[in-house]
Amino acid sequence: MADRGEYKREGDEEPEEEVDESDYKTQKDAIILAIEVSDSMLEPPPASGSKKADKDSPVQAALKCAYQLMQQRIISSPKDMMGILFFGTEKSKFHDEDGRGGLGYPHCYVFIDLDVPAANDVKALKSLVEGADAYEHDDDDEYEFLKPAKERVQMANVFFCANQIFTTKAANFGSRRLFVITDNDDPHPSDKSAKSAAAVRAKDLYDLGVTIELFPITQGDGSFDLSKFYDDIVYRDTGGEGNLTEVRSSKSGDGLTLLNSLISNINSKQTPKRALFSNLPLELAPGLRISVKGYNVLHRQTPARNCYVWLDGENPQMAIGETTRMAEDTARTIDTSEIKKAYKFGGEYVYFSPEEQKVVKDFGSPIIRMIGFKSGASIPFWASVKKSTFLFPSEEDYVGSTRVFTALWQKLVKSRKVGIAWCIVRTNANPVLCAVVPSRESSGEDNGTPYLPAGLWLCRLPFADDLRDGPAGGCDSAPVCASDDLVDKMRVIVQQLQLPKGTYDPTRYPNPALQWHYKILQALALEEEVPGKPDDSTEPKYRAIGKRAGGYLQEWDERLREETKTVLGTRKFKRELEDDDDGVESKPAKRTKTASAKPSTSGMTDAELRFAVASGSHNKMVVAGLKDLLVSRGLSSAGKKADLIERLEEWAEESI
Amino acid sequence: MADKQASVFIIDVGTPMGDCHNGRVQSDLDYSLRYVWDKITTIVAASRKTWTVGVIGLRTDETRHIDSIQDEAGYENISILQEIGPMTMSSLKDLQAVIKPSNTETGDALSAIVVALQMLSTFTKKLKYTRRVYLITDGTAPIDADGMDQIVEKADEDGVEVIVLGVDFDDPEYGFKEEDKPTQKKHNEALLKDLVSRCKDAHFATIAEAIDEVDNPRIKTTRPYKTYDGLLTLGDPKDPKHPSPMSIHVERYFKTKLAAPPSASTVVVKSGQQTTQSQHLDGEEMEGIEGITNFAAVKQARNYKVDDPKAPGGKRDVEFDSLAKGYEYGRTAVHISESEWNITKLETTKSFSILGFVADDKYEPFLSMGESCMTVASKYDERSRLALSSLIHALYERSSYAVARIVLKDGKDPLLVLLAPCVDPDFECLYDVPLPFAEDVRSYQFPPLDRVVTVTGQTLTNHRLLPTDELSFAMSNYVDAMDLDTFGKNDNGQPAEYAPIDESFNPVIHRINQAVRDRALKSNGKIEPIPPTLVRYATPPEDLIAMSKREINSLIEAAEVKKVPPKAKSKRKRETVKPLSGLDVDALLDAQPKRPRLVTRDNAIPEFKQAVSSAMDMEHIQEASKQMGEVIRGLVTDSFGDSLYARALEAMSVMRTELIELDEPDIYNAFARDFKKRLLAGELGGDRREMWWKVRTSRLGLIDQTQSELSGVTSEEAQEVCETQSSCHCVRLASLPPFPSRSAMHLPLGQRMRKLTRPSVSQSKVAKSTRCNDFTVLLK
């Protein structure tokens, strides 16, 4: 019974994850990577003797980066779109179906049209990345589109081309972004009208709701001067967070290849920053409210659900499922308007009208209300039920929110305190109690989580209802305590096997099951050979462990053996004594049979039980006693007596 | 829990129980029943066959219980109202009907207990049961103390818990004493107390105390669930040369598990009953039935469709059996044959292995991804218990946590968990929480909180976004003043943590349970307010607020937070539309050659936004909106299937938002009504009902008064216009809400425009029909 409950509940939690209903736009993201093709962008870095030196030209690095990004996005956001546009090319190409051809946007080449990536797109990009050598020598026609144009491309055209792609392909996406990768900080040095035209087209993109993200590439000691051109193109973050996020340029050097530098810059912008909730009032004290936004910085990534494929057509096609509802008694189809919500009660239904439902569930409007503060240490380690939400201030509803938020954050960090808050994060969301915990500045020395942003976190606390009891009878006898000597031996081992920097760094541990799933899928989709063995970085490094602590482990084991012997000895002695006591106490006749069976079953050790099964005396046990025995060994206690006995016998066989 | 329960309630229904006492407005019986019903409905709600209930009436008018003793003296006026058995809704209804004050004043409570014990022993035999007898009485009828010894003996022998709850019984511990107590009652109280004190397992309390308990949430306990039972290892125990000796037999259990609030099921009124019920049932009862019985559960059936350009609507049904299973890789469907289905699954074997150790001060609670578990050594394995104990103590002494990989069963996906030691005098274990993988951490960028970096790269430490020293000081004082660590009180009255976890209850779970129970008892009752215990932690404790008044005031003063009035929000946004350089792009736009049209399909959204934001007069806005309307209709007309719907919707949404911000909701509303009419009339390229459905679900219908003060449309009207069912939308079009008079629309925009008041109702009524026509023409 209990077991089944666990599984069912997993599904029930779903509604909590819903995005804000009032936001009707699809919560999807579309990215166009616009990569400039020019002589300087195609030029590989000067050759150097070092093996590790950069070999990629900027375009190559950008393509490799795009390839990686595309693979990542298929895993992390399977519904999001991506496209690749080259500009400054000799050839021009727009949508295939559009009659205009390349005429409208000269020197713009749509390499991969904006869409959810298909296996073919991945393939095309892959072959471009792998065939890198070919296009550097101008002898291959296949890569002719990577030939730079003789005249300058009009940036206005590039922007309008992107505008058209976004308008037609991702019309009502919640997030649309144009990533511009270029090394040219001044595309129109002497042409003022071209510059203004570009600014106007950039404004169009802004009005369309497209964000332009610039990824400048610099080579050698060169710098990328935004004021020459791009300051007229790029707009301030509409998030209203006041502060600017700087534009970082990618370059080779400092032990970092251009590729790595570009990947890290693009990765930081990979996922669009979607707020889980916006402008939620945070009531710090009666009469003092500020507004905050919440972000899902941590989110368990899982493989997409399986789908059903229709194979009878020309191409395999996904079948879209539709649900119809019907009444259980008559099996007639039901219209949505007929559906009512009722609670099961004693085998029947108890009904509330929708208005009454509202009254029942009404705990007030959305808010995070601080009810006081506790020391961080007062929150037990196990007080965790859900991933936490990151909070960041927003000036939109209350001017001054940021400074108050910062003051609170600084105080909590300094005094190692946490806030306790009553939270209703959305209309109709269930109220919960949360600890408001500060994360530290990422550059701080003793920060254990440098990969997470600094701010406050809403950590949901369990209610008394969410606590589970430990194992049945787990506390019946005092724990067996290891001696100081044994603990000392283990301490050495703990000391020897510290993880790097003594912290857990999630970036070192990709999810092996998720990676494997998509690796196989990719191979199947691209019709490549299926890889043989997965990489699993979550497996313990056995060799290192053996090398660093093997000897200590042996020492610990020897000591453990000795102590086990002593403990077993005293135990046995004690038990005999207890048994004697028992015998004296439960003398008085009559209930002998059950009375003697009962105490012995619950306290039976594995060895005793195995003996009982072997001798057949378990057949004489009462059902309740059998159930106790089964439950205490983690086995099911369902069924008739014969089932229970059988299960016990199975256990005895297996556990030898 | 799989426990079996049998409870017998003895309810005193004697005439005096019908009276009110001690200032209560409820009769003693109704008052006591609050407790009884609460107990019983809890059992009904659990719908467990093994939780059984019997009910005995004491001081009933008739005598009807166990045949063998029924006719004996001293056993009169006792009736079995319900034999022991599972409780259902209908047995609850039956009981409600029979438990009423009787016309009898005598009946022996001890005899009733004998009957109850007899019932229990007959029903439960010698099986494993939790047996309880509840006696609820006001103790005003004479009780014969003879045979008390046998009763005590029987109760103890059968393992029955006896609970005596008296109406206005004295209880010094609870702090209740009834003045001027009748002698008979005094005598009975002493007698019953004596009985309770002699039983092994028995309780005695005044009913008020029990009723107080009713409001306290009761937690449903779940049997401990073992998530893992196997070895915890460090190093490789299977290494051929040097196998690691550290493999400890452990069991891992849930420590926290989110309890889900009861969820409402989807039901439908049973067919055929709607019309008949009113004929044979009278008012109140009918409502009872309606609220409870005649619903049928709803089942779901799934059918599958694929795109087919030849089929009507572009889609056709396919047989489920003809479909292959597969996954999506991007937009490519990858099918995998049944025999290879596990190919994408990582092969794993059940294991729990430690990767290494980390310092405990580097862990932050927000890193945990979910529910926690606890790991203990296998109960009957001394070696493992010693081994785990040494690990727990070593971690504790070195202030370390362990990172471990766990595979719950063969083939399950591996998880990384963080193990923390718990060392209590009588309990040792390792707690663990799940850790994020690399993919689970999203790299969102946020600006630093404690400094401001300007466009030119300068770092400022003095800025309106940064706290002043005064604010930091006030905040520090405030946080310290509102300390909860010692604000609560423990059982001994000592300072303790306020709002500890084991005293905070999930408000929703208990709220719904309470409402459902109330509704089950009284099907037409009003919804009771939320019990205060459930919202105790919704606000800071009042005493603490009062004590911290000074700190609060100085914090508010130093914070200088100002609420942005709702109107100003949109305007503020408008100012910031400039690129980083601050270049005035609008001026550039104006300098460009005039376009023949304001809004073209290719670049509709930017052009519309730019047109209305630079509009100098009303006509300009109307013209832009008219053209936008044309673009939207054109998109729908030219759409192949639903190919252009998304663009049309996006354009509508931009038009709607912009016009709300410009305080011109009626322009949009007129467009939307006209658009719907044409859509449904088939003027826009055939059957476009799906488009209207999308308009509805995207919430792009009429702008109502809640969204714009200047809208003449109520939310009910807006709702109604959205419905597609009505065949008479033309009629409704004639009763259009008022819009500003045309003359007003010609006024130049600006400050004066905003001050315009709405035309009075009478005025608008007169002009209604003509104006409506004007507008339709305007938008054509």
Side-chain angles (χ1 to χ4, degrees), chain B residues 69-265:
Chain B
I69 48 174
Q70 188 158 297
D71 301 330
E72 280 182 40
Y75 285 92
E76 300 90 355
N77 301 102
I78 293 172
S79 301
I80 295 180
L81 304 178
Q82 180 183 301
E83 290 286 355
I84 301 180
M87 279 301 297
T88 62
M89 268 301 266
S90 49
S91 47
L92 181 65
K93 291 271 160 209
D94 295 345
L95 273 180
Q96 274 186 295
V98 294
I99 301 181
K100 290 204 170 117
S102 67
N103 295 318
T104 307
E105 296 200 7
T106 56
D108 189 330
L110 274 189
S111 305
I113 294 182
V114 172
V115 174
L117 292 175
Q118 190 58 46
M119 281 166 76
L120 278 173
S121 109
T122 318
F123 182 81
T124 64
K125 302 197 182 75
K126 288 280 176 208
L127 301 171
K128 192 182 167 190
Y129 262 96
T130 309
R131 301 170 175 84
R132 285 194 192 100
V133 171
Y134 295 87
L135 170 65
I136 292 110
T137 179
D138 64 356
T140 52
I143 302 177
D144 182 358
D146 264 8
M148 184 124 91
D149 294 341
Q150 287 97 308
I151 295 175
V152 171
E153 198 178 308
K154 173 81 176 159
D156 287 352
E157 190 184 305
D158 291 356
V160 179
E161 186 183 346
V162 179
I163 298 132
V164 176
L165 299 169
V167 180
D168 297 331
F169 280 18
D170 294 345
D171 191 336
E173 246 178 70
Y174 178 69
F176 181 81
K177 190 165 169 26
E178 188 180 28
E179 305 299 332
D180 307 323
K181 201 185 283 283
T183 346
Q184 180 70 55
K185 188 167 179 180
K186 214 179 257 173
H187 173 76
N188 286 342
E189 276 190 49
L191 191 145
L192 290 169
K193 215 168 200 167
D194 179 43
L195 170 82
V196 164
S197 66
R198 285 162 64 184
C199 286
K200 232 194 269 171
D201 192 4
H203 305 278
F204 178 92
T206 187
I207 191 95
E209 187 180 359
I211 289 173
D212 282 352
E213 288 291 305
V214 167
D215 282 339
N216 275 352
R218 262 146 306 161
I219 290 171
K220 197 174 135 201
T221 52
T222 318
R223 203 162 58 190
Y225 179 75
K226 198 188 283 182
T227 60
Y228 177 85
D229 182 348
L231 298 176
L232 171 68
T233 57
L234 175 63
D236 189 358
K238 292 200 184 97
D239 190 277
K241 271 194 214 146
H242 306 288
S244 164
M246 188 168 153
S247 47
I248 308 174
H249 200 134
V250 295
E251 297 171 1
R252 180 172 175 262
Y253 294 86
F254 282 139
K255 172 62 186 172
T256 61
K257 183 84 193 149
L258 276 182
S263 59
S265 343

Side-chain angles (χ1 to χ4, degrees), chain B residues 376-661:
Chain B
V376 293
S378 190
K379 211 160 134 195
Y380 307 105
D381 182 343
E382 305 298 345
R383 182 185 177 273
S384 293
R385 291 175 74 171
L386 274 175
L388 191 72
S389 169
S390 74
L391 175 63
I392 291 171
H393 282 273
L395 286 174
Y396 182 76
E397 287 173 20
R398 276 206 55 86
S399 306
S400 293
Y401 292 157
V403 176
R405 171 186 196 263
I406 187 164
V407 177
L408 297 175
K409 280 178 187 150
D410 286 357
K412 288 265 179 199
D413 293 344
L415 263 183
L416 289 180
V417 297
L418 190 67
L419 295 160
C422 159
V423 181
D424 263 0
D426 54 349
F427 184 63
E428 288 179 358
C429 75
L430 288 171
Y431 287 124
D432 73 74
V433 293
L435 289 168
F437 287 114
E439 295 89 342
D440 306 334
V441 182
R442 294 177 180 167
S443 57
Y444 288 164
Q445 299 254 303
F446 290 90
L449 280 171
D450 53 359
R451 58 188 187 273
V452 169
V453 183
T454 62
V455 185
T456 49
Q458 264 183 310
T459 304
L460 301 178
T461 46
N462 226 331
H463 190 269
R464 65 181 175 85
L465 294 176
L466 301 174
T468 56
D469 290 347
E470 192 197 357
L471 173 56
S472 299
F473 183 69
M475 181 64 78
S476 178
N477 288 343
Y478 169 71
V479 169
D480 291 338
M482 292 289 284
D483 190 84
L484 297 179
D485 276 333
T486 52
F487 185 73
K489 283 211 166 54
N490 65 10
D491 294 342
N492 308 324
Q494 300 295 315
E497 186 184 358
Y498 180 79
I501 290 168
D502 54 5
E503 281 176 27
S504 60
F505 300 98
N506 186 326
V508 178
I509 293 182
H510 299 291
R511 168 67 170 158
I512 294 178
N513 284 340
Q514 168 226 8
V516 169
R517 282 204 305 263
D518 287 355
R519 177 53 55 99
L521 283 174
K522 270 175 101 182
S523 53
N524 52 356
K526 256 184 47 194
I527 310 267
E528 298 279 328
I530 301 175
T533 41
L534 295 183
V535 286
R536 187 158 26 136
Y537 302 128
T539 46
E542 270 173 41
D543 302 355
L544 193 55
I545 289 290
M547 274 156 54
S548 319
K549 201 77 223 153
R550 217 171 36 133
E551 285 83 358
I552 294 173
N553 287 338
S554 42
L555 176 64
I556 292 175
E557 217 168 277
E560 280 187 277
V561 169
K562 284 190 188 66
K563 188 168 172 43
V564 179
K567 261 272 125 119
K569 250 199 266 180
S570 54
K571 275 180 219 152
R572 217 154 49 110
K573 232 187 232 164
R574 297 199 159 250
E575 292 166 13
T576 57
V577 188
K578 270 182 185 164
L580 295 181
S581 62
L583 177 78
D584 188 355
V585 183
D586 287 338
L588 285 179
L589 268 173
D590 289 343
Q592 289 207 322
K594 280 274 169 280
R595 299 173 191 160
R597 279 180 61 95
L598 289 171
V599 182
T600 59
R601 186 191 286 194
D602 278 350
N603 201 19
I605 290 168
E607 282 169 359
F608 176 74
K609 276 194 182 170
Q610 287 154 13
V612 294
S613 71
S614 65
M616 297 309 290
D617 51 37
M618 196 59 218
E619 252 163 48
H620 206 78
I621 293 182
Q622 278 173 7
E623 184 58 24
S625 306
K626 186 186 133 199
Q627 294 189 8
M628 190 66 161
E630 281 166 12
V631 168
I632 293 169
R633 286 192 296 269
L635 283 168
V636 174
T637 311
D638 296 346
S639 175
F640 175 72
D642 59 2
S643 63
L644 296 179
Y645 287 180
R647 278 179 76 176
L649 288 170
E650 181 69 5
M652 279 179 80
S653 117
V654 167
M655 180 171 165
R656 194 173 186 271
T657 335
E658 292 290 311
L659 289 173
I660 290 178
E661 277 180 21

Side-chain angles (χ1 to χ4, degrees), chain A residues 116 232 284 300 309 384 465 515, chain B residues 331 368 370 440 478 510 581:
Chain A
V116 177
D232 289 346
L284 201 53
R300 185 66 89 197
V309 188
S384 156
D465 310 73
Q515 290 295 338
Chain B
R331 65 173 197 275
S368 161
D440 306 334
Y478 169 71
H510 299 291
S581 62

